Amino acid sequence: MTTVTARPVPPLAPTVRQLPPVPPAPHGGEGYRLGLPNTVNAPKVARDFVTSVLGVGRHVPLVDDARLCVTEIVTNVHRHTRTPLIRVHMTVGAAQVTVSVADDDPWALPLPGRPGPGAGPGLGSGEDEEREDGQGLFLVARLSLAWGVTIHGGYSPTHKAIWFTLATDDAAHADHAVET
């Protein structure tokens, strides 16, 4: 298993920190899984799944960010791979949520495109104003506590998982306070 972890886009993190090599699993969390066919409806189904899971617990404030992030990742899988099945896995803990989207094309790695002018402070260059793609992973990086890619299968990779972790404001502030 190989994991690539991306650091949050500044200015999210006040200090530089080492991110874990695998998706951080909330302790004592509950796991939820969804398998869906790689169709044009996959992003909506994944979005509804995330909304349902987070809407019944204490993570209602994370619903909008989770919906946007899972939609971006599932849309990328649909558009850029030929995998027949998209697998969404959620781990919901007391203070954070990790969502992982897996496909069977380990070589189609996600690469952030150059963000457009509406991508947020410090990201938009003003160029390519008509561009509509390539900004999804910048949004995931902007909204998440951490995100990354894990490739499974060792020397003969079989699939990859793109994951992100969201945390309640209290958990995110406590995490940063411990590091400083």
Side-chain angles (χ1 to χ4, degrees):
M1 174 172 61
T2 303
T3 298
V4 178
T5 303
R7 291 191 184 121
V9 175
L12 287 181
T15 61
V16 176
R17 60 191 173 116
Q18 282 288 1
L19 294 177
V22 296
H27 297 289
E30 297 176 343
Y32 300 88
R33 295 181 188 268
L34 172 69
L36 56 148
N38 187 358
T39 67
V40 70
N41 295 323
K44 181 189 182 327
V45 174
R47 187 171 50 245
D48 291 347
F49 171 67
V50 166
T51 302
S52 295
V53 171
L54 296 180
V56 297
R58 69 188 93 171
H59 296 296
V60 173
L62 299 177
V63 168
D64 289 339
D65 290 349
R67 286 172 51 92
L68 180 59
C69 291
V70 79
T71 299
E72 292 295 337
I73 294 172
V74 172
T75 298
N76 282 350
V77 170
H78 172 68
R79 291 178 66 190
H80 302 292
T81 74
R82 293 184 181 196
T83 188
L85 183 68
I86 300 172
R87 295 172 304 279
V88 180
H89 179 252
M90 293 180 64
T91 304
V92 181
Q96 66 184 27
V97 175
T98 298
V99 179
S100 173
V101 177
D103 65 69
D104 296 326
D105 191 352
W107 302 115
L109 295 175
L111 297 172
R114 188 170 51 211
L123 290 179
S125 64
E127 299 174 13
D128 297 332
E129 293 196 22
E130 300 298 318
R131 185 179 176 140
E132 294 182 10
D133 63 349
Q135 299 180 37
L137 291 178
F138 280 103
L139 291 172
V140 172
R142 173 70 68 192
L143 296 173
S144 63
L145 179 64
W147 74 279
V149 179
T150 303
I151 300 172
H152 299 274
Y155 290 116
S156 299
T158 57
H159 64 282
K160 72 172 174 302
I162 301 108
W163 56 269
F164 62 90
T165 298
L166 301 173
T168 59
D169 286 337
D170 294 339
H173 292 304
D175 186 41
H176 292 303
V178 170
E179 294 171 1
T180 56

